[in-house]
């Protein structure tokens, strides 16, 4: 995997420390994608890489085994997968290319749907006796679909409130106005978060930005000022 990253970023070939950090970041991104966290577009594209390489993530057993492999790599490397501090060199095309190449290298020749790790494997350790812990009920963070549904519910309520005030506003115009008004956007996101009490605030905000852009795509164009603030402007 490190070699694949070096091929994507030739200027980093002589910097093994940076390459290792990029590899760790890629591990995080793939881990998030299999939990349907992070950018919905990137989640869909990474999962599509697995499917194109004959790894059936729709099979619950396969998905569980692939997740376990990646989670084990994160744990053994001491990486906190909940901290989204990715190296900017790990852009979406690199993530997709590297993920796909790794899966293809590990794919079974027969093309059957066998779980293959999206990471380099470490030498196997001798089996150890484990003490089974009491089973506890796991509570999962909301999926990208659940976050989008919560976003849409708040959007509908916002439009209804505007109509009750005697005004009519198109959905795209409404969400562009919310996106451009910092205080309004904060209140809007607070309502979305209230619908999803188990959601990570930072990941939810990132996903919501994607939902805003989808809503006014084609009618508005996004621009960034010199301070790094983004806003929507009508085309």
């Amino acid at each position: 995997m490190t070699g694949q990253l070096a091929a994507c970023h030739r200027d980093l070939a002589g910097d093994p420390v940076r390459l290792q950090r990029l590899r760790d970041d890629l591990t995080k991104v793939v881990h998030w994608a299999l939990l349907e966290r992070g950018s919905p577009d990137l989640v869909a594209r990474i999962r599509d890489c697995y499917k194109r390489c004959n790894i059936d993530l729709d099979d619950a057993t396969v998905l569980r085994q692939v997740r376990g492999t990646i989670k084990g790599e994160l744990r053994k490397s001491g990486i906190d997968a909940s901290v989204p501090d990715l190296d900017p060199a790990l852009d979406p095309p690199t993530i997709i290319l590297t993920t796909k190449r790794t899966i293809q290298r590990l794919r079974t020749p027969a093309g059957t749907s066998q779980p293959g790790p999206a990471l380099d494997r470490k030498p196997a350790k001798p089996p150890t006796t484990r003490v089974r812990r009491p089973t506890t009920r796991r509570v999962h963070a909301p999926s990208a679909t659940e976050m989008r549904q919560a976003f849409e519910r708040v959007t509908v309520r916002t439009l209804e409130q505007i109509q009750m005030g005697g005004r009519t506003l198109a959905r795209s115009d409404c969400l562009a106005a919310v996106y451009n008004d910092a205080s309004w956007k904060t209140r809007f996101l607070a309502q979305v978060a209230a619908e999803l009490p188990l959601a990570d605030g930072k990941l939810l905000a990132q996903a919501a930005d994607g939902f805003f852009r989808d809503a006014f795509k084609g009618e508005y164009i996004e621009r960034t000022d010199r301070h790094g603030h983004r806003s929507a402007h009508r085309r």
Side-chain angles (χ1 to χ4, degrees):
M1 178 179 293
T2 303
Q4 294 164 7
L5 285 168
C8 296
H9 299 281
R10 298 185 185 280
D11 57 323
L12 299 176
D15 190 347
V17 175
R18 179 82 180 281
L19 281 173
Q20 181 60 39
R21 187 164 65 249
L22 282 168
R23 178 184 180 279
D24 294 344
D25 283 351
L26 177 62
T27 307
K28 290 184 187 180
V29 172
V30 175
H31 179 62
W32 293 341
L34 296 179
L35 294 174
E36 296 189 348
R37 296 172 59 186
S39 164
D41 177 64
L42 197 55
V43 168
R45 292 171 65 189
I46 289 176
R47 292 175 69 93
D48 185 62
C49 280
Y50 278 88
K51 292 180 181 179
R52 287 176 182 271
C53 296
N54 296 326
I55 296 178
D56 184 11
L57 294 180
D58 293 329
D59 183 316
T61 301
V62 173
L63 177 60
R64 184 169 60 253
Q65 292 180 358
V66 174
R67 282 178 178 171
T69 298
I70 298 175
K71 186 176 181 180
E73 288 287 338
L74 290 169
R75 185 175 59 252
K76 285 185 289 185
S77 302
I79 301 168
D80 183 358
S82 66
V83 182
D85 53 344
L86 301 180
D87 190 310
L90 197 67
D91 55 349
T94 300
I95 294 169
I96 300 305
L97 178 62
T98 308
T99 304
K100 187 171 182 179
R101 283 179 176 174
T102 304
I103 299 169
Q104 287 175 331
R105 179 168 57 83
L106 299 172
R107 183 176 52 180
T108 55
T112 54
S113 298
Q114 295 295 325
L119 309 167
D120 294 334
R121 300 188 70 91
K122 295 185 178 180
K125 295 182 179 179
T128 57
T129 303
R130 295 184 179 180
V131 177
R132 183 177 294 276
R133 296 181 179 179
T135 303
T136 57
R137 181 175 177 269
R138 294 186 177 182
V139 180
H140 297 286
S143 66
T145 299
E146 290 169 330
M147 287 192 284
R148 181 177 287 276
Q149 290 172 344
F151 182 92
E152 293 300 330
R153 288 194 294 271
V154 175
T155 299
V156 170
R157 291 203 299 266
T158 301
L159 287 169
E160 288 175 347
Q161 290 172 356
I162 292 173
Q163 291 174 351
M164 289 175 61
R167 297 174 57 201
T168 301
L169 198 61
R171 180 176 181 274
S172 58
D173 294 333
C174 173
L175 290 178
V178 174
Y179 189 74
N180 290 341
D181 187 316
S183 60
W184 193 358
K185 184 179 180 183
T186 298
R187 294 195 302 272
F188 186 98
L189 292 179
Q191 293 178 55
V192 177
E195 300 263 335
L196 303 166
L198 299 178
D200 177 275
K202 192 165 186 178
L203 291 177
L204 178 58
Q206 291 173 348
D209 278 350
F211 302 154
F212 276 114
R213 295 186 190 105
D214 289 344
F216 52 69
K217 185 184 298 182
E219 298 182 43
Y220 287 81
I221 186 169
E222 189 178 33
R223 294 191 179 130
T224 306
D225 62 21
R226 61 180 182 176
H227 301 295
H229 300 140
R230 295 181 176 182
S231 56
H233 298 265
R234 183 172 285 282
R235 288 182 178 274

